[in-house]
Amino acid sequence: MAGLVFPIEGTSQEIAVNGNDPPPEFFVKESAFGPVGSSPPMIPIPVIDLSLLSSETELEKLRSALTSWGCFQAMGHGISSSFLDKVREAGKEFFSLPMEEKQKCLRAACEGEGFGSDVVVSKQQVLDWCNRLFLMVFPEDKRRLNLWPETPNDFGETLIEYTMKIRSVMDVVFKATARSLKLEEDVFLKHFGEKTVMQARFNYYPPCPRSDMVLGLKPHSDKSGITVLLPDQEVEGLQIFKNNEWSRVPTIPHALIVNLGDQMEIMTNGIMKSPLHRVTTNPEKMRVSVAMLIEPDPEEEIGPADGLVDEERPKLYKTMKNYGHLNYVCFQKGVVAINEVKM
Ligand SMILES: O=C(O)CCC(=O)C(=O)O
Ligand SMILES: [Fe+2]
């Protein structure tokens, strides 16, 4: 079905500016993952200091974080607080431009890249209270610069610099993850070479008068290899689903949130998790986050690393269908699907 850019009268941002209640398309009527409006406990997800990963203790903390949660807050990442603020501000400045300006970066129907809201693939789809700007940064020859904002005028430069810094953070995480599983250091990293896809998703969640019924982002896991999230510094909203319940993720000043995506779940043969997460809305405040998604070369077949498959742990593999931003991932053990549509 054709994806629509603005399936109803305007984006969530326009509806919010006009002070209107969200139309029914945004209401979560029922969810397999519990109610929207409740406020679950705030649980500190593990905090890892990346500058300490040469120590066995920190490495063990990393292994435990990724096998139990699939995510952690990263400190000691070496990116200055002022630069992180600059990246976040670049996103805020773009979203605060008049709609005509933002529409210069508008994504085409059916395509994920550019400025817009949900790609609509079904009439039953509940819409997210979120506008996003989604841009491919690497490989360089795949950049669609016509979709990159001209305001702020150093947007492109800032985004490229940020992406390269995140790439270095990734290298540290991939190597340490391999070591924590007693594997060769480059076992994951070797899949993330020149053709690695690095995409930036700037998420903008306007204030929502019905935050009891409307989600900023529906429950999903990322289809990436790994995602690094720069969260809003003032407004929380991210929740992780673990042990059958949601936990609110606290904001730690200038920490980055690292979470594994579905492809690393496969490469670790399910030992490490790609966590289910969602974003709630706030009745008074807007929220901005920047997700950097890193994937191996899309043409490459990925599978579990050698050494992670044995009789007790049969090979996990994937068939992956990607309908716009909807992850339709099917992990299989033998012929049994253990994890189908995750949205
Ligand atoms: O805004 C957030 O905190 C999470 C964003 C996210 O999950 C995503 O972009 O995939
Ligand atoms: Fe996500």
Side-chain angles (χ1 to χ4, degrees):
M1 184 185 299
L4 306 175
V5 178
F6 299 137
I8 49 163
E9 288 100 71
T11 65
S12 45
Q13 188 173 354
E14 285 175 309
I15 299 163
V17 168
N18 295 334
N20 295 329
D21 261 12
E25 288 87 340
F26 286 91
F27 285 77
V28 181
K29 280 138 216 121
E30 57 185 68
S31 164
F33 302 106
V36 171
S38 63
S39 182
M42 180 169 293
I43 304 207
I45 62 171
V47 180
I48 307 289
D49 187 332
L50 300 187
S51 69
L52 298 181
L53 282 171
S54 54
S55 98
E56 283 302 319
T57 323
E58 206 65 11
L59 208 57
E60 174 50 29
K61 267 171 71 185
L62 177 74
R63 198 196 56 79
S64 157
L66 294 179
T67 49
S68 59
W69 285 88
C71 62
F72 60 88
Q73 304 248 19
M75 307 292 288
H77 46 64
I79 308 181
S80 73
S81 310
S82 57
F83 187 66
L84 293 181
D85 291 341
K86 186 174 178 187
V87 174
R88 218 182 279 104
E89 280 311 310
K92 284 191 181 162
E93 204 175 323
F94 169 75
F95 287 116
S96 64
L97 294 172
M99 192 52 83
E100 313 84 77
E101 274 300 309
K102 287 189 291 244
Q103 287 195 349
K104 291 183 184 161
C105 305
L106 199 61
R107 70 169 173 77
C110 300
E111 283 187 13
E113 230 183 311
F115 166 69
S117 42
D118 280 358
V119 177
V120 178
V121 293
S122 131
K123 278 191 180 146
Q124 279 81 42
Q125 186 175 325
V126 176
L127 300 181
D128 292 330
W129 191 254
C130 173
N131 290 158
R132 32 188 105 88
L133 174 66
F134 194 34
L135 301 171
M136 170 92 77
V137 189
F138 286 107
E140 200 175 331
D141 61 353
K142 296 269 171 17
R143 280 181 202 157
R144 295 173 59 184
L145 294 173
N146 60 320
L147 298 173
W148 289 41
E150 283 167 11
T151 311
N153 59 13
D154 59 353
F155 183 96
E157 206 182 298
T158 307
L159 179 56
I160 292 169
E161 188 179 341
Y162 179 60
T163 309
M164 290 191 317
K165 287 181 192 293
I166 292 295
R167 175 73 225 217
S168 308
V169 170
M170 296 289 161
D171 288 1
V172 172
V173 174
F174 282 131
K175 282 187 188 168
T177 305
R179 280 193 287 123
S180 80
L181 290 167
K182 311 267 180 271
L183 300 171
E184 292 290 323
E185 200 174 60
D186 71 342
V187 72
F188 302 122
L189 204 53
K190 68 183 179 203
H191 295 286
F192 295 84
E194 283 194 353
K195 293 192 175 161
T196 297
V197 171
M198 293 188 76
Q199 290 158 312
R201 183 157 59 210
F202 291 79
N203 297 305
Y204 172 79
Y205 310 94
C208 179
R210 292 305 308 271
S211 52
D212 58 328
M213 290 289 283
V214 173
L215 281 172
L217 275 190
K218 288 182 282 297
H220 67 284
S221 61
D222 294 345
K223 77 169 180 69
S224 58
I226 201 166
T227 302
V228 179
L229 183 79
L230 176 62
D232 197 288
Q233 284 299 274
E234 277 118 49
V235 186
E236 52 149 298
L238 178 64
Q239 299 186 352
I240 309 272
F241 196 67
K242 181 171 182 283
N243 297 338
N244 266 330
E245 54 189 14
W246 292 104
S247 305
R248 281 153 57 218
V249 175
T251 307
I252 302 183
H254 304 297
L256 294 166
I257 298 171
V258 176
N259 69 266
L260 295 191
D262 297 337
Q263 310 208 43
M264 269 298 272
E265 181 165 328
I266 292 167
M267 285 192 258
T268 63
N269 207 21
I271 294 171
M272 293 178 164
K273 305 286 176 261
S274 162
L276 192 69
H277 53 287
R278 69 179 186 181
V279 178
T280 52
T281 47
N282 187 295
E284 277 119 36
K285 295 182 185 151
M286 60 109 165
R287 177 172 183 273
V288 169
S289 69
V290 187
M292 186 64 71
L293 297 102
I294 312 213
E295 280 182 39
D297 176 358
E299 312 263 301
E300 197 188 329
E301 270 297 311
I302 54 133
D306 288 345
L308 299 182
V309 181
D310 56 35
E311 272 176 23
E312 307 226 319
R313 188 174 281 283
K315 192 165 169 175
L316 194 64
Y317 62 93
K318 70 166 181 180
T319 49
M320 188 145 106
K321 299 184 188 124
N322 182 3
Y323 300 113
H325 79 295
L326 281 185
N327 284 346
Y328 188 116
V329 180
C330 182
F331 296 147
Q332 291 181 292
K333 258 185 195 169
V335 290
V336 188
I338 56 164
N339 194 354
E340 272 185 328
V341 184
K342 283 187 164 183
M343 305 254 330

